[in-house]
Amino acid sequence: MTADIAFRKTGASTTNWIAWALNPTRQGMAGSQALVAYRHSNGTVIVYTTQVDASGSMQPASLSFGVPNISAEYTGGDMIIFATLQLSASLVTTNQVWQEGPLSGGSPGRHPTTGQNIQSVGTVNFVSGTATSTGGGTSSKARKRNVSGWSINYAVFVGIGCLLDMNSA
């Protein structure tokens, strides 16, 4: 099964990186399979896949599932990652994580481990197109829509796909 996704961060800083990830083993970034993007100082957009380990390393690496197509763009303050994911049955419903952090020496650096960055977790179901957020918010309904000022929106495209939209509140 494949899923075409678009993950957008509005108000993206040119001095930060963004990432969206699946974590089949637990909630949180450690152990996740991530898509990372940032704007290089020369204006080009860098995008790649990485397996995030407990140290927070984000070196380019293959994932446990295929990503035959990946690209990103930065337009008008929005950073968007586009990708096709080749998902196994065990990843149809799984944990998701989204993050933002500073660039350090032109590469992704460690993000704070407080506030939004530890609350930006949830689940996604690629068949139904539904998702939840488990951090932030004061009620379960609020958590489904808003995680500490980040709004995540999903839309199912023709076939199986998701639009993941990270907006500042």
Side-chain angles (χ1 to χ4, degrees):
M1 168 180 34
T2 63
D4 294 312
I5 66 110
F7 174 73
R8 180 176 74 171
K9 166 66 171 98
T10 60
S13 168
T14 58
T15 59
N16 281 357
W17 55 265
I18 66 165
W20 176 81
L22 297 179
N23 192 331
T25 59
R26 62 182 173 173
Q27 291 187 341
M29 201 63 164
S32 68
Q33 310 283 304
L35 311 177
V36 178
Y38 61 93
R39 190 166 180 223
H40 191 274
S41 60
N42 68 11
T44 61
V45 176
I46 308 297
V47 62
Y48 61 91
T49 60
T50 187
Q51 293 189 32
V52 182
D53 62 24
S55 73
S57 174
M58 294 178 59
Q59 296 300 312
S62 296
L63 304 184
S64 63
F65 53 89
V67 183
N69 299 307
I70 185 170
S71 63
E73 65 181 43
Y74 180 86
T75 307
D78 290 353
M79 178 74 71
I80 307 171
I81 299 173
F82 302 96
T84 299
L85 312 177
Q86 294 175 322
L87 302 172
S88 64
S90 65
L91 289 174
V92 168
T93 299
T94 193
N95 297 306
Q96 66 169 337
V97 185
W98 54 98
Q99 300 290 324
E100 179 177 31
L103 292 174
S104 176
S107 297
R110 291 187 63 86
H111 64 71
T113 55
T114 59
Q116 293 178 22
N117 284 317
I118 60 168
Q119 297 175 358
S120 299
V121 297
T123 60
V124 61
N125 181 308
F126 288 100
V127 173
S128 68
T130 60
T132 61
S133 300
T134 55
T138 56
S139 70
S140 62
K141 186 175 182 181
R143 278 193 294 274
K144 289 180 182 178
R145 291 189 323 244
N146 192 306
V147 178
S148 297
W150 300 80
S151 178
I152 309 298
N153 301 312
Y154 300 86
V156 177
F157 296 139
V158 174
I160 298 174
C162 289
L163 169 66
L164 309 159
D165 186 3
M166 213 162 94
N167 295 312
S168 295

